[in-house]
């Protein structure tokens, strides 16, 4: 089963292989399918704001396609279940932009959007405000900044972080690793309502700032599955292996379509709050690998336009996934490299920018689907560390190697001179 969740911007992206089982959609006669893809559609409003219709729409598409690109890269590196949040990663990169300048900032902007310098933080701010108004959907986003107690962060950076991302600043002592880890995990556990109790496993004592962005989704089905009908059923892992999983059941009117080119059924499961999950069922086992190569916002929009409503029986598995990824390695593959190098320019973050770089970007994502709906949360941390430049050595006088070179040159000349003397003596004896 493969899954893709999107809400205005991609909230969560998941490819599910082993645990949950499969979804089945039956118009009248049974038709067992084995691979699934899901997508949360953007809420449809009667009146869309101008920013959403223009650069906001472009930002949404860019972040969606970023998610699809990351899914392909993660799938190549990891077998089995995949779940992560493109929105969470985009928010983390936008937060880093506030402290970056020059090429460091330009690389971040290039991956996120082409709307132009200075637009992204404002767009994310409006996005957060827009999402918070959808009370039925239950989507929240927040930001934390853990700052070393004796580290000087520029006031404008903190003010902009508060303005655009409502960032809460917390002072910690990273030199006391155990205490710092406990404090940060306490905040994450609180903000994610217990879904991510331990985002931090280790603490680098050279850390100066850790920025954390989190996204929490609580989507309730428009028509919940009845737990009475949830039964253990067979899930096909591949052609040769099956497992038993809890399978939910519902019958009613559902929107769906069939993609002739990719040979897949697409089913829409609605949430409250004008959002929905798209479930993509491949006709043949393992064809999900080909589907991942074609996933894009244009493909999803085509599916949505072709939806038709009809009466169906739907079987869908209960499942839970919990994954963690090193996003900095994936970003480097997408040419975001400068911020992780000694050439990083974080001059808007602190006056000591020459000695700062991002050491890692980690994300943990959790998704759980049951009869009531979908709960998903993702936390993305960006660790900013101070590093020491190597001592400066200026060779402006003879070094040991130069002494050895001089010695060797003198030795060679001496050997040549000795050889010449022996040759002359030989010639003299020959006479």
């Amino acid at each position: 089963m493969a899954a893709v969740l999107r809400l205005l911007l991609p909230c969560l992206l998941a490819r599910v292989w082993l645990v949950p089982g499969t979804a089945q959609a039956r118009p009248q006669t049974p038709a067992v399918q084995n691979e699934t893809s899901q997508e949360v559609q953007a809420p449809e409003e009667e009146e869309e704001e101008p920013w959403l219709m223009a650069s906001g729409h472009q930002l949404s598409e860019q972040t969606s396609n970023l998610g699809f690109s990351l899914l392909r890269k993660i799938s190549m590196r990891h077998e089995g279940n995949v779940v992560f949040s493109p929105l969470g990663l985009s928010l983390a990169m936008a937060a880093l932009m506030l402290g970056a300048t020059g090429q460091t900032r330009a690389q971040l902007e290039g991956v996120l959007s082409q709307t132009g310098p200075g637009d992204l933080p404002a767009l994310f701010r409006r996005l957060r405000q827009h999402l918070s108004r959808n009370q039925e959907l239950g989507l929240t986003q927040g930001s934390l900044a853990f700052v070393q107690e004796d580290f000087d962060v520029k006031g404008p950076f903190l003010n902009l972080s508060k303005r655009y991302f409502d960032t809460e600043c917390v002072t910690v002592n990273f030199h006391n690793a155990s205490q710092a880890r406990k404090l940060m995990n306490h905040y994450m556990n609180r903000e994610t309502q217990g879904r991510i109790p331990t985002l931090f496993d280790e603490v680098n004592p050279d850390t100066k700032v850790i920025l954390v962005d989190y996204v929490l989704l609580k989507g309730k089905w428009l028509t919940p599955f009845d737990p009475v009908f949830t039964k253990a059923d067979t899930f096909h892992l591949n052609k040769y292996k099956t497992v038993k999983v809890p399978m939910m059941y519902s019958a009613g009117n559902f929107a769906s379509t069939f993609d002739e080119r990719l040979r897949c059924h697409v089913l829409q499961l609605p949430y409250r709050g004008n959002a929905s999950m798209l479930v993509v069922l491949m006709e043949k086992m393992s064809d999900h690998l080909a589907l991942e190569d074609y996933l894009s916002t244009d493909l999803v929009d085509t599916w949505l336009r072709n939806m038709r409503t009809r009466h169906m029986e739907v079987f869908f598995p209960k499942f839970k996934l919990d994954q963690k990824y090193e996003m900095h390695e994936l970003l480097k593959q997408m040419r975001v490299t400068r911020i992780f190098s000694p050439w990083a320019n974080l001059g808007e973050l602190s006056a000591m920018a020459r000695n700062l770089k991002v050491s890692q970007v980690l994300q943990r994502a959790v998704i759980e689907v049951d009869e009531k709906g979908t709960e998903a949360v993702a936390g993305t941390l960006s660790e900013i560390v101070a590093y020491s430049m190597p001592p400066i050595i200026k060779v402006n006088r003879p070094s040991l190697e130069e002494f050895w070179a001089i010695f060797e040159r003198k030795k060679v000349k001496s050997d040549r001179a000795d050889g010449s003397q022996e040759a002359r003596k030989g010639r003299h004896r020959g006479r």
Side-chain angles (χ1 to χ4, degrees):
M1 183 170 66
V4 180
L5 279 75
R6 186 181 74 181
L7 178 62
L8 193 58
L9 295 178
C11 176
L12 197 75
L13 196 68
R15 186 195 65 186
V16 188
W17 296 114
L18 301 179
V19 181
T22 184
Q24 305 172 24
R26 301 197 307 209
Q28 297 296 333
T29 58
V32 178
Q33 308 293 342
N34 297 308
E35 305 295 339
T36 310
S37 173
Q38 341 177 65
E39 166 125 354
V40 177
Q41 181 187 356
E44 297 179 2
E45 299 183 343
E46 295 181 1
E47 296 183 2
E48 292 183 317
E49 299 178 2
W51 73 272
L52 183 59
M53 294 297 294
S55 57
H57 178 72
Q58 184 182 19
L59 178 62
S60 174
E61 286 194 353
Q62 190 80 4
T63 311
S64 299
N65 287 322
L66 170 65
F68 295 133
S69 177
L70 288 171
L71 175 62
R72 286 185 280 270
K73 293 182 182 297
I74 293 176
S75 298
M76 293 176 64
R77 296 165 61 97
H78 300 273
E79 294 184 358
N81 301 331
V82 174
V83 56
F84 68 98
S85 172
L87 174 59
L89 181 60
S90 296
L91 288 166
M93 294 170 68
L96 286 171
M97 280 176 52
L98 296 179
T101 61
Q103 285 296 315
T104 305
R105 181 186 176 106
Q107 288 185 355
L108 295 171
E109 286 179 334
V111 171
L112 286 178
S113 176
Q114 299 176 359
T115 55
D119 293 339
L120 285 172
L123 286 174
F124 279 113
R125 178 192 181 191
R126 290 187 173 184
L127 168 65
R128 181 171 52 82
Q129 294 172 342
H130 182 76
L131 295 177
S132 65
R133 289 197 291 268
N134 192 338
Q135 298 292 333
E136 274 196 306
L137 185 60
L139 180 67
T140 57
Q141 179 271 324
S143 178
L144 296 165
F146 299 102
V147 181
Q148 171 63 27
E149 57 187 11
D150 57 355
F151 182 68
D152 184 20
V153 178
K154 288 186 175 180
F157 173 81
L158 294 176
N159 293 336
L160 290 174
S161 297
K162 179 66 176 178
R163 176 184 177 185
Y164 291 126
F165 303 105
D166 196 25
T167 303
E168 179 181 357
C169 187
V170 181
T171 302
V172 299
N173 180 11
F174 290 111
H175 301 306
N176 188 335
S178 177
Q179 185 183 57
R181 182 174 62 251
K182 183 178 180 180
L183 177 64
M184 292 188 294
N185 281 329
H186 167 74
Y187 272 88
M188 280 305 299
N189 184 62
R190 183 193 71 182
E191 298 302 323
T192 62
Q193 301 177 23
R195 292 290 174 179
I196 302 182
T198 54
L199 180 62
F200 302 90
D201 297 323
E202 299 179 354
V203 175
N204 185 342
D206 294 325
T207 301
K208 297 303 180 184
V209 179
I210 291 182
L211 302 178
V212 179
D213 292 272
Y214 57 89
V215 182
L216 181 64
L217 168 69
K218 287 190 173 183
K220 296 184 181 300
W221 302 121
L222 189 62
T223 303
F225 290 86
D226 190 337
V228 173
F229 298 114
T230 301
K231 306 292 182 183
D233 204 347
T234 301
F235 174 63
H236 297 263
L237 299 176
N238 51 46
K239 293 181 180 179
Y240 312 103
K241 188 175 181 181
T242 62
V243 292
K244 290 291 185 180
V245 299
M247 195 73 70
M248 304 181 295
Y249 170 82
S250 181
N253 293 325
F254 296 92
S256 67
T257 188
F258 182 77
D259 191 316
E260 294 282 354
R261 183 171 64 96
L262 296 174
R263 308 303 301 175
C264 61
H265 297 271
V266 185
L267 171 70
Q268 190 172 30
L269 298 178
Y271 291 105
R272 297 179 185 175
N274 293 323
S276 62
M277 173 185 289
L278 293 189
V279 182
V280 181
L281 304 154
M282 305 304 299
E283 274 196 329
K284 295 182 180 180
M285 184 81 70
S286 79
D287 275 2
H288 57 272
L289 298 176
L291 175 65
E292 288 178 0
D293 293 334
Y294 290 98
L295 283 174
S296 67
T297 54
D298 290 339
L299 176 61
V300 171
D301 290 339
T302 300
W303 286 340
L304 294 174
R305 287 195 303 268
N306 295 332
M307 288 284 176
R308 298 292 182 271
T309 301
R310 57 180 175 165
H311 187 79
M312 292 183 179
E313 290 182 288
V314 174
F315 294 83
F316 196 74
K318 294 175 61 173
F319 67 90
K320 181 177 180 179
L321 289 180
D322 187 339
Q323 299 288 352
K324 192 172 184 179
Y325 297 103
E326 296 181 347
M327 289 297 184
H328 52 276
E329 296 296 338
L330 300 174
L331 290 173
K332 290 176 184 178
Q333 294 180 29
M334 305 178 75
R335 299 182 180 180
V336 179
T337 58
R338 199 174 188 90
I339 198 167
F340 305 110
S341 74
W343 296 276
N345 191 337
L346 295 173
E348 298 300 319
L349 174 67
S350 173
M352 62 172 294
R354 287 185 58 186
N355 294 337
L356 294 177
K357 68 176 181 179
V358 175
S359 58
Q360 60 180 347
V361 178
L362 302 177
Q363 186 181 96
R364 183 178 176 187
V366 181
I367 178 175
E368 185 170 8
V369 176
D370 60 18
E371 291 88 353
K372 296 179 180 179
T374 301
E375 290 195 7
V377 63
T380 308
L381 72 88
S382 303
E383 182 183 74
I384 301 172
V385 300
Y387 60 92
S388 299
M389 296 296 291
I392 298 176
I393 300 178
K394 187 175 182 179
V395 182
N396 56 3
R397 57 187 181 277
S399 64
L400 182 60
E401 288 187 1
E402 290 179 281
F403 280 126
W404 275 111
I406 294 171
F407 174 78
E408 289 293 334
R409 288 197 296 270
K410 288 183 177 179
K411 185 175 182 298
V412 169
K413 290 181 179 179
S414 176
D415 291 342
R416 288 176 179 173
D418 291 343
S420 299
Q421 291 178 3
E422 290 294 328
R424 287 195 296 273
K425 288 179 181 181
R427 289 196 296 273
H428 180 74
R429 286 193 296 268
R431 291 195 191 97

